[in-house]
Amino acid sequence: QKEVEQNSGPLSVPEGAIASLNCTYSDRGSQSFFWYRQYSGKSPELIMFIYSNGDKEDGRFTAQLNKASQYVSLLIRDSQPSDSATYLCAVNSPSGGYNKLIFGAGTRLAVHP
Amino acid sequence: EAQVTQNPRYLITVTGKKLTVTCSQNMNHEYMSWYRQDPGLGLRQIYYSMNVEVTDKGDVPEGYKVSRKEKRNFPLILESPSPNQTSLYFCASSFSAGGLEQYFGPGTRLTVT
């Protein structure tokens, strides 16, 4: 079973700091990587995706991908209390002739004022 | 508004009473999928569909059925629900037949007593 691993947290950061969320994956054939944000009791919301090695920035969010080391990370700059949520890493796993998304169990982020 | 809708949002039922959870998307997406989310286990795929009349099993298909007769609809059927199917269910869709960049519905919280 291909796996996606995340630290469950909680990761506690002060308001205005950088939050760094990490994810490792086992399937070397994976090509696409996604970060979802999930507020308690709500559905996952796609916030970032990255397909190439390196960094991808979107507003306060930066996704970083290192395929050689099989890890992907999400940086949140100037963290706000509204960023407090569980962040799910998802990795495509090409197997059996189709792509499927494998989700990590998520990292809970708590941003305190 | 582009969205994935699910009904009902909350359902309490008894063991063995057949039920259907509907899912509909208005984005003309090729791919649709059902997940269940349980504490500590993350999101697990139940069934997916890459196109009309094309469905296949995900990781945890036992006890569930699906159909894809129209592109926009992908209902989840529990023929004889059991308490271990008590969970939070999400429908998702993607423009990509490979299931990348999936967008989630609001979720259905099911309790089977």
Side-chain angles (χ1 to χ4, degrees):
Chain A
Q1 172 70 12
K2 305 300 183 184
E3 293 184 347
V4 176
E5 301 287 342
Q6 295 181 257
N7 188 318
S8 62
L11 173 65
S12 182
V13 301
E15 184 175 357
I18 295 175
S20 178
L21 304 159
N22 300 313
C23 171
T24 59
Y25 60 95
S26 62
D27 185 355
R28 284 196 169 273
S30 298
Q31 297 293 323
S32 308
F33 308 86
F34 306 88
W35 283 100
Y36 286 82
R37 178 177 62 200
Q38 187 175 24
Y39 293 112
S40 180
K42 301 296 185 181
S43 59
E45 173 192 8
L46 180 63
I47 55 172
M48 288 287 286
F49 56 87
I50 185 166
Y51 299 149
S52 303
N53 272 331
D55 295 0
K56 178 182 177 182
E57 186 175 317
D58 184 0
R60 295 187 296 113
F61 298 102
T62 299
Q64 299 176 316
L65 174 61
N66 184 324
K67 289 184 181 179
S69 300
Q70 293 179 247
Y71 87 79
V72 57
S73 62
L74 179 69
L75 302 179
I76 306 175
R77 288 182 300 282
D78 188 24
S79 295
Q80 301 297 309
S82 58
D83 294 325
S84 298
T86 296
Y87 289 80
L88 306 175
C89 174
V91 176
N92 88 303
S93 177
S95 63
Y98 84 104
N99 284 306
K100 66 181 295 185
L101 283 188
I102 307 293
F103 284 84
T107 297
R108 190 158 61 90
L109 173 66
V111 181
H112 54 86
Chain B
E1 179 189 356
Q3 60 183 348
V4 179
T5 57
Q6 295 178 228
N7 283 292
R9 296 288 314 281
Y10 303 91
L11 179 59
I12 301 174
T13 190
V14 297
T15 299
K17 186 176 181 182
K18 181 180 178 179
L19 67 92
T20 299
V21 183
T22 64
C23 173
S24 183
Q25 50 91 7
N26 62 0
M27 296 170 280
N28 201 36
H29 282 176
E30 300 288 334
Y31 180 98
M32 298 185 75
S33 181
W34 276 103
Y35 295 88
R36 61 178 290 173
Q37 187 174 39
D38 302 289
L41 296 177
L43 281 162
R44 294 179 293 167
Q45 190 180 47
I46 303 171
Y47 269 95
Y48 69 95
S49 169
M50 290 192 284
N51 211 329
V52 175
E53 301 293 0
V54 179
T55 64
D56 209 344
K57 298 176 181 178
D59 295 321
V60 287
E62 295 78 17
Y64 305 94
K65 286 175 58 176
V66 293
S67 67
R68 187 95 181 272
K69 293 182 169 52
E70 307 166 277
K71 197 172 188 179
R72 65 183 294 127
N73 297 321
F74 191 45
L76 179 69
I77 302 158
L78 285 73
E79 296 270 4
S80 183
S82 63
N84 65 11
Q85 292 179 298
T86 292
S87 187
L88 180 58
Y89 291 87
F90 290 106
C91 180
S93 72
S94 169
F95 65 89
S96 156
L100 304 179
E101 296 178 39
Q102 293 183 31
Y103 294 88
F104 284 76
T108 295
R109 187 166 293 280
L110 172 65
T111 301
V112 184
T113 61

